[in-house]
Amino acid sequence: TVFSDADGEYRGFDGKVHRLEGSQKIQYANFSGWDVYRSQLQLLTWLFPKVGSDIAQSLYNQARQNDGKWDRWTHATGATHVMSGDPSAPAVADIHAFGGRDFDLRGAYVSLKRAATVPTADDLSDDGCAVECTGQRPSLDQWLTLHYIAAKSHAWGGAAETLEDASADFALSELARATGDEAGHDEFLARAGYWRNLYNPHATPQAGYIQNRNADGTWPAFKPESDDGFVEASAAVYLWMVPFDVHGLFDTLGGRARATARLDAFFHDANGNWALTKAGPLHAELDNEPSIGTPWLYDYAGQPWKTQQSVRIVLDTIWKNAPDGIPGNDDLGEMSSWYVWAALGMYPGIPGRAELLLGSPLFPKAVIHRDGGDVVIEAPDASDANPYVQSLTLDGKSHDKPWLPTSFVEHGGHLRFTLGAQPDTHWASDPDDAPPSFPPPGT
């Protein structure tokens, strides 16, 4: 939804008439922030940098008209507070990382930084909770003192809020770097590591989990199939939602081998059948946002053929050419953007950064025309029977990593995949070739 008239005027959050800022062409509205920061804003900005820039400026304009508060789900010219976390920080960082540079980056960062460091009355209020907590950073006081959001808090769910705030702080560390605030970068990267404070290695007799934690440091009763402390998913689903520090998560789980075994169990039932959605709370729910990044995690585990396999299975089964073909709610384009990325054979796995994790393309050829440089993706053998990468070249040179660097997003490039019917368990399997991870300083 867009708001502005021929004179560049629009009615803002505060009910007053405002003019577009600087080179802004359109004031946008309607942001399902909790959803679209995961892959939709990256795709949109990569294709249309000016649109992404105007979206970032629109979000900042809304915040200034809302007493400095960035609402997580805006509708028309008002706030709804729907969902959890602070998705505005990764949203702005996504846009900047994927080429949206025509907005007030410094102003937006300063505003987001203040919201993440100075608790407000709304942050300390239960108004609207659980689903529509009014604070931009619910229970920010706990984040600053306990270094996690506790089981009893002003948030929808303490454990989910902790993971969302960790991702938001990682995004702020990227924005800090982009604006030259090196101290801020280090501070927010350290705060992004707070997710580790909710990992209980003895959560169950079989394995550790990220779970709710009491303010006094003790652990309440826990079942991994429960959604206690989480938002629209179980603890088993949220275990994997640390997209910026996957290597750190794997190490916490006991190493790559154990993490991979748990991923395998997450995607399969006891009989070995694929469990992609509606298979129970111990398994993936790839029709909703907390799960959608998980198939790409095998790229970090030295088993990229399992990413190629699982992503293709998802595309072929829970997505259909039918009126109900989009699984779950499309959430203003988030789910369908996931499909577009997957069909191209790549995915922006780290909100706030522009590395792309690799799967395998659906089509023999795709061309993306961009001002910064065209993207050409060729896979002559692409078919339903050939989901596995046998080799890959980038701009004519052999590429043996299951991810692409930020320079590819910035400048474009020519990918040529050789695909086959059987997995090549050697291609891109070297641990040194895994995608990057961003742990707290000193770890």
Side-chain angles (χ1 to χ4, degrees), residues 3-12 16-22 24-27 61 65:
F3 292 89
S4 65
D5 61 18
D7 296 323
E9 294 183 341
Y10 66 94
R11 190 168 298 279
K16 300 177 181 178
V17 174
H18 297 267
R19 293 192 62 83
L20 299 177
E21 297 282 337
Q24 183 185 8
K25 294 184 179 298
I26 295 173
Q27 175 71 19
N61 293 344
Q65 297 156 16

Short mmCIF file of all heavy atoms in Angstrom, two decimals, residues 3-12 16-22 24-27 61 65:
data_model
loop_
_atom_site.label_atom_id
_atom_site.label_comp_id
_atom_site.label_asym_id
_atom_site.label_seq_id
_atom_site.Cartn_x
_atom_site.Cartn_y
_atom_site.Cartn_z
N PHE A 3 1.07 5.67 0.05
CA PHE A 3 0.37 6.89 0.38
C PHE A 3 1.20 8.08 -0.05
O PHE A 3 2.31 8.26 0.42
CB PHE A 3 0.11 6.99 1.89
CG PHE A 3 -0.87 5.98 2.40
CD1 PHE A 3 -0.45 4.74 2.83
CD2 PHE A 3 -2.22 6.29 2.45
CE1 PHE A 3 -1.36 3.81 3.30
CE2 PHE A 3 -3.13 5.35 2.92
CZ PHE A 3 -2.70 4.12 3.35
N SER A 4 0.70 8.88 -0.95
CA SER A 4 1.24 10.19 -1.27
C SER A 4 0.43 10.72 -2.45
O SER A 4 -0.05 9.95 -3.28
CB SER A 4 2.73 10.15 -1.63
OG SER A 4 2.96 9.42 -2.81
N ASP A 5 0.26 12.03 -2.47
CA ASP A 5 -0.49 12.61 -3.58
C ASP A 5 0.48 13.23 -4.58
O ASP A 5 1.70 13.10 -4.46
CB ASP A 5 -1.51 13.64 -3.07
CG ASP A 5 -0.85 14.81 -2.34
OD1 ASP A 5 0.36 15.02 -2.52
OD2 ASP A 5 -1.57 15.51 -1.60
N ALA A 6 -0.06 13.91 -5.57
CA ALA A 6 0.78 14.46 -6.63
C ALA A 6 1.76 15.50 -6.10
O ALA A 6 2.82 15.73 -6.69
CB ALA A 6 -0.10 15.08 -7.72
N ASP A 7 1.43 16.10 -4.96
CA ASP A 7 2.32 17.11 -4.37
C ASP A 7 3.28 16.50 -3.35
O ASP A 7 4.00 17.23 -2.67
CB ASP A 7 1.47 18.19 -3.68
CG ASP A 7 0.62 18.97 -4.68
OD1 ASP A 7 1.13 19.21 -5.79
OD2 ASP A 7 -0.53 19.30 -4.36
N GLY A 8 3.28 15.17 -3.24
CA GLY A 8 4.18 14.52 -2.31
C GLY A 8 3.76 14.64 -0.86
O GLY A 8 4.61 14.58 0.04
N GLU A 9 2.46 14.78 -0.61
CA GLU A 9 1.96 14.89 0.76
C GLU A 9 1.20 13.62 1.14
O GLU A 9 0.61 12.95 0.29
CB GLU A 9 1.05 16.11 0.90
CG GLU A 9 1.78 17.43 0.73
CD GLU A 9 0.88 18.63 0.95
OE1 GLU A 9 -0.36 18.46 0.87
OE2 GLU A 9 1.40 19.73 1.22
N TYR A 10 1.23 13.30 2.43
CA TYR A 10 0.51 12.14 2.93
C TYR A 10 0.17 12.37 4.39
O TYR A 10 0.78 13.19 5.07
CB TYR A 10 1.35 10.87 2.78
CG TYR A 10 2.60 10.85 3.62
CD1 TYR A 10 2.61 10.25 4.88
CD2 TYR A 10 3.78 11.46 3.19
CE1 TYR A 10 3.75 10.25 5.67
CE2 TYR A 10 4.92 11.46 3.96
CZ TYR A 10 4.90 10.86 5.20
OH TYR A 10 6.03 10.87 5.99
N ARG A 11 -0.82 11.63 4.88
CA ARG A 11 -1.21 11.74 6.28
C ARG A 11 -0.44 10.68 7.08
O ARG A 11 -0.48 9.50 6.77
CB ARG A 11 -2.72 11.56 6.46
CG ARG A 11 -3.21 11.90 7.88
CD ARG A 11 -4.73 11.99 7.93
NE ARG A 11 -5.24 13.05 7.07
CZ ARG A 11 -5.27 14.34 7.41
NH1 ARG A 11 -4.80 14.73 8.58
NH2 ARG A 11 -5.76 15.22 6.57
N GLY A 12 0.25 11.12 8.12
CA GLY A 12 1.14 10.25 8.86
C GLY A 12 0.52 9.58 10.05
O GLY A 12 -0.69 9.70 10.32
N LYS A 16 -1.21 14.02 11.12
CA LYS A 16 -0.87 15.27 10.46
C LYS A 16 -0.45 15.02 9.01
O LYS A 16 -0.07 13.91 8.65
CB LYS A 16 0.25 15.98 11.21
CG LYS A 16 -0.09 16.33 12.64
CD LYS A 16 1.11 16.97 13.34
CE LYS A 16 0.77 17.30 14.79
NZ LYS A 16 1.95 17.88 15.49
N VAL A 17 -0.48 16.05 8.22
CA VAL A 17 -0.04 15.95 6.83
C VAL A 17 1.46 16.18 6.77
O VAL A 17 1.99 17.14 7.34
CB VAL A 17 -0.78 16.97 5.95
CG1 VAL A 17 -0.21 16.94 4.52
CG2 VAL A 17 -2.27 16.65 5.92
N HIS A 18 2.17 15.29 6.10
CA HIS A 18 3.62 15.36 5.96
C HIS A 18 4.01 15.35 4.49
O HIS A 18 3.22 14.94 3.63
CB HIS A 18 4.29 14.17 6.67
CG HIS A 18 4.07 14.15 8.14
ND1 HIS A 18 4.94 14.71 9.04
CD2 HIS A 18 3.06 13.63 8.87
CE1 HIS A 18 4.49 14.53 10.26
NE2 HIS A 18 3.34 13.88 10.20
N ARG A 19 5.23 15.79 4.21
CA ARG A 19 5.77 15.74 2.86
C ARG A 19 6.83 14.65 2.78
O ARG A 19 7.46 14.28 3.78
CB ARG A 19 6.38 17.08 2.48
CG ARG A 19 5.35 18.21 2.36
CD ARG A 19 5.97 19.43 1.70
NE ARG A 19 6.40 19.13 0.34
CZ ARG A 19 5.59 19.14 -0.72
NH1 ARG A 19 4.30 19.42 -0.58
NH2 ARG A 19 6.06 18.87 -1.93
N LEU A 20 7.01 14.12 1.58
CA LEU A 20 8.05 13.12 1.36
C LEU A 20 9.42 13.69 1.70
O LEU A 20 9.66 14.89 1.56
CB LEU A 20 8.02 12.65 -0.10
CG LEU A 20 6.72 11.98 -0.57
CD1 LEU A 20 6.83 11.63 -2.05
CD2 LEU A 20 6.41 10.74 0.26
N GLU A 21 10.32 12.83 2.15
CA GLU A 21 11.63 13.24 2.62
C GLU A 21 12.68 13.14 1.51
O GLU A 21 12.81 12.09 0.86
CB GLU A 21 12.07 12.35 3.79
CG GLU A 21 11.17 12.45 5.02
CD GLU A 21 11.43 13.69 5.82
OE1 GLU A 21 12.55 14.24 5.71
OE2 GLU A 21 10.54 14.12 6.58
N GLY A 22 13.46 14.21 1.30
CA GLY A 22 14.59 14.17 0.38
C GLY A 22 14.20 13.70 -1.00
O GLY A 22 13.29 14.25 -1.63
N GLN A 24 12.88 10.82 -1.64
CA GLN A 24 11.82 9.82 -1.52
C GLN A 24 10.71 10.11 -2.52
O GLN A 24 10.26 11.24 -2.67
CB GLN A 24 11.26 9.84 -0.09
CG GLN A 24 10.19 8.79 0.18
CD GLN A 24 9.60 8.93 1.58
OE1 GLN A 24 9.88 9.89 2.28
NE2 GLN A 24 8.79 7.96 1.97
N LYS A 25 10.26 9.07 -3.20
CA LYS A 25 9.21 9.22 -4.20
C LYS A 25 7.84 8.82 -3.66
O LYS A 25 6.82 9.36 -4.10
CB LYS A 25 9.53 8.39 -5.46
CG LYS A 25 10.77 8.88 -6.21
CD LYS A 25 10.96 8.10 -7.49
CE LYS A 25 12.19 8.60 -8.26
NZ LYS A 25 12.04 10.02 -8.67
N ILE A 26 7.80 7.83 -2.76
CA ILE A 26 6.53 7.30 -2.26
C ILE A 26 6.67 7.01 -0.77
O ILE A 26 7.71 6.53 -0.31
CB ILE A 26 6.14 6.01 -3.00
CG1 ILE A 26 5.86 6.29 -4.49
CG2 ILE A 26 4.93 5.35 -2.37
CD1 ILE A 26 5.63 5.04 -5.32
N GLN A 27 5.61 7.29 -0.02
CA GLN A 27 5.51 6.86 1.37
C GLN A 27 4.72 5.55 1.39
O GLN A 27 3.57 5.52 0.99
CB GLN A 27 4.82 7.91 2.24
CG GLN A 27 4.56 7.49 3.68
CD GLN A 27 5.82 7.40 4.52
OE1 GLN A 27 6.85 7.97 4.16
NE2 GLN A 27 5.76 6.69 5.63
N ASN A 61 10.16 7.37 8.78
CA ASN A 61 9.17 8.45 8.91
C ASN A 61 8.07 8.06 9.89
O ASN A 61 7.64 8.87 10.73
CB ASN A 61 8.55 8.76 7.55
CG ASN A 61 9.54 9.38 6.57
OD1 ASN A 61 10.60 9.83 6.95
ND2 ASN A 61 9.18 9.37 5.29
N GLN A 65 7.01 9.91 13.52
CA GLN A 65 5.64 10.37 13.76
C GLN A 65 4.97 9.62 14.91
O GLN A 65 3.84 9.94 15.29
CB GLN A 65 4.82 10.21 12.48
CG GLN A 65 5.33 11.04 11.31
CD GLN A 65 4.93 10.48 9.97
OE1 GLN A 65 4.03 9.64 9.87
NE2 GLN A 65 5.59 10.93 8.91
#
